[in-house]
Structures are given as C-alpha cells and as structure tokens.
Amino acid sequence: MTTAPVHHPDLRDFYEDPAVPVASGTPRSLRQARMLAAALGPATRTPCTVLDIGCGDGTAAATAAPLLPGHRIVGVDWSQDALSRARTHLTYAIRGELTGGGLPFRSGCADAVLFSEVVEHLVDPDSALDEIRRVLRPGGHLMLSTPNLAAWYNRALLLAGVQPVFSEVSLRAVHGRPGREVVGHLRLYTARALREFVAASGFEVVGMKGAPFHGVPRPLRALDRLACSRPSLASILLLHARKT
C-alpha cells in the first residue's frame, strides 16, 4: 500500500498566505520616511532611485512617497500576493528576492534602500545585506527597521519568565508570549547588535532612532512613545547607514 507524500509547509508557503500581515504601523513608516527624506534632500534634475525591498502590500512606500516628491520608489517583493496588493499603491512593483540569483538590478543602481521589518524574517541576513550593498551606489543610504528585542516591556517580560514580544517558537501558533498573530520572526536584534551587524556588513552607521509599536495596548501607548527617545528601549529600531 502506498500513500501520497505529505506536504510540509515551508516559509514560502507561510509568507504567501494572505492572512499573514505584510504591513506594519504608520508611525514607524512615517518616522523612517522622514529620515530618508532628510538624507536624500529635495529631488534635483536627476531623481534618486529608492528600492523598497520587501515592500509587502506597498503601504510603507505609499506613506513615504509624499515626503519624497520627484524621487522614484520601486517596490520589490518575492510574494506574488503581496505584489498584487502593492501595485494598487505603487507605480513600480517588481518581483525579486535577496537569495538565489539575487535582485534583478545592476550593481550600484540605487541611491537608497528601504528595508522595513524584513531582516527579522530572514534565514540568512548576512547574504541579504551583501546583496543590498551590491545594488547601492557608493555612499548610498540604507534605512532599516526591525523590532527591538530589548524593548522596554520585553525586559520586564523576561524578568517574569515570559517569552518576549516579537519572538516566536512556532509558525502555527503563538506560545508563551502576549499577542495572537504569528508573523514569522526568525531573528531579533538589540540596538547594539543591530549596529554591530550592519557595520560588519560594510556600512557606516549614521544614526538610530526609535519608533512605537502599533500593537501596544492603548493604556501603555504614551509610555511606548516616550521610550522612543531612547532607541535602546524603543519598540522598533530605525537605523540609517551608508555604504562605505
């Protein structure tokens, strides 16, 4: 007697699921867009090219667009479902991935890369930053955002023996931590670890800021916004680096 092979879902299946969140909160997107706008300055005769790698449904790039008039924003994602949604927000949305054959762009073609809430999902973040560095021109800007393992509430949760927010032990369900959504985080960074990781990948870290997390319970949101003044305590880390 033979049986049909059992299909075990992998990460690609997980991220192609329309139920998996592909956008993060507007406050983070706005803060990151302001950092990028300050770095690029106003558009001149030749617009800058900004690649939003891992653009998801395109809402982050759409939030940034009004702050980057004249510049060209190109959304990039490997998920066809995400791209179909991104095309309702973006003029340019292209399928591409950081692994395998790499991104479908020539070396040094981009003035800036938005890398928002992506690095925490990657099996091989080192190769991802190598590929981002390849497509950036010399001196090009990297705007990376990711959840903070050492967020103010995570420090308290760990002391209480509770799994930190943003960390996950399963792709099927949430176990041992607050929250209900499984979002597929594989890697988490503190502010110090993120700085060291990006610098070791051939970038000069220009600065870091904090951003609030839209999932914080309403009674604690004022405290979460206050924590943004200390990036090492903030919910979300916003890092600005330049290709050396």
Side-chain angles (χ1 to χ4, degrees), residues 52-75:
D52 183 3
I53 298 176
C55 65
D57 64 4
T59 55
T63 299
L67 301 178
L68 302 168
H71 297 306
R72 183 187 302 110
I73 303 177
V74 180

Side-chain angles (χ1 to χ4, degrees), residues 40-49 69-72 106 109 111 137:
L40 293 180
T44 56
R45 190 173 302 176
T46 303
C48 291
T49 297
H71 297 306
R72 183 187 302 110
R106 61 178 174 81
C109 70
D111 299 283
R137 64 167 174 79

Side-chain angles (χ1 to χ4, degrees), residues 115-163:
F115 201 45
S116 307
E117 316 296 300
V118 177
V119 70
E120 64 270 16
H121 298 271
L122 300 179
V123 173
D124 185 1
D126 303 275
S127 295
L129 258 63
D130 288 344
E131 182 64 0
I132 288 173
R133 192 172 186 278
R134 181 187 70 79
V135 299
L136 278 172
R137 64 167 174 79
H141 302 276
L142 169 63
M143 297 290 175
L144 184 157
S145 69
T146 190
N148 182 10
L149 175 61
W152 60 275
Y153 41 81
N154 278 345
R155 299 181 186 215
L157 289 173
L158 274 172
L159 285 174
V162 177
Q163 187 83 7

Side-chain angles (χ1 to χ4, degrees), residues 3-233:
T3 59
V6 177
H7 173 67
H8 296 286
D10 60 16
L11 284 173
R12 288 182 179 269
D13 296 318
F14 177 79
Y15 290 119
E16 285 285 8
D17 183 351
V20 174
V22 292
S24 56
T26 299
R28 191 275 304 159
S29 298
L30 274 174
R31 290 181 185 222
Q32 191 174 39
R34 291 186 186 116
M35 290 171 67
L36 180 57
L40 293 180
T44 56
R45 190 173 302 176
T46 303
C48 291
T49 297
V50 179
L51 303 181
D52 183 3
I53 298 176
C55 65
D57 64 4
T59 55
T63 299
L67 301 178
L68 302 168
H71 297 306
R72 183 187 302 110
I73 303 177
V74 180
V76 185
D77 208 294
W78 65 262
S79 167
Q80 294 288 12
D81 177 73
L83 285 172
S84 66
R85 286 181 273 174
R87 291 185 178 112
T88 65
H89 299 290
L90 302 174
T91 303
Y92 309 101
I94 298 172
R95 191 177 189 280
E97 56 184 300
L98 291 160
T99 57
L103 296 167
F105 304 106
R106 61 178 174 81
S107 298
C109 70
D111 299 283
V113 164
L114 278 171
F115 201 45
S116 307
E117 316 296 300
V118 177
V119 70
E120 64 270 16
H121 298 271
L122 300 179
V123 173
D124 185 1
D126 303 275
S127 295
L129 258 63
D130 288 344
E131 182 64 0
I132 288 173
R133 192 172 186 278
R134 181 187 70 79
V135 299
L136 278 172
R137 64 167 174 79
H141 302 276
L142 169 63
M143 297 290 175
L144 184 157
S145 69
T146 190
N148 182 10
L149 175 61
W152 60 275
Y153 41 81
N154 278 345
R155 299 181 186 215
L157 289 173
L158 274 172
L159 285 174
V162 177
Q163 187 83 7
V165 176
F166 309 126
S167 67
E168 295 185 321
V169 299
S170 171
L171 292 179
R172 298 178 181 178
V174 171
H175 300 291
R177 69 161 173 83
R180 298 180 179 178
E181 287 184 336
V182 178
V183 291
H185 290 173
L186 303 179
R187 300 189 182 274
L188 288 173
Y189 300 81
T190 64
R192 177 177 176 177
L194 186 63
R195 285 178 179 272
E196 292 183 4
F197 167 62
V198 172
S201 300
F203 292 87
E204 175 192 0
V205 176
V206 177
M208 182 180 288
K209 294 186 178 181
F213 174 47
H214 63 279
V216 168
R218 188 176 298 276
L220 299 176
R221 289 180 185 175
L223 184 56
D224 193 42
R225 289 192 297 270
L226 182 63
C228 293
S229 62
R230 292 279 302 276
S232 62
L233 296 174

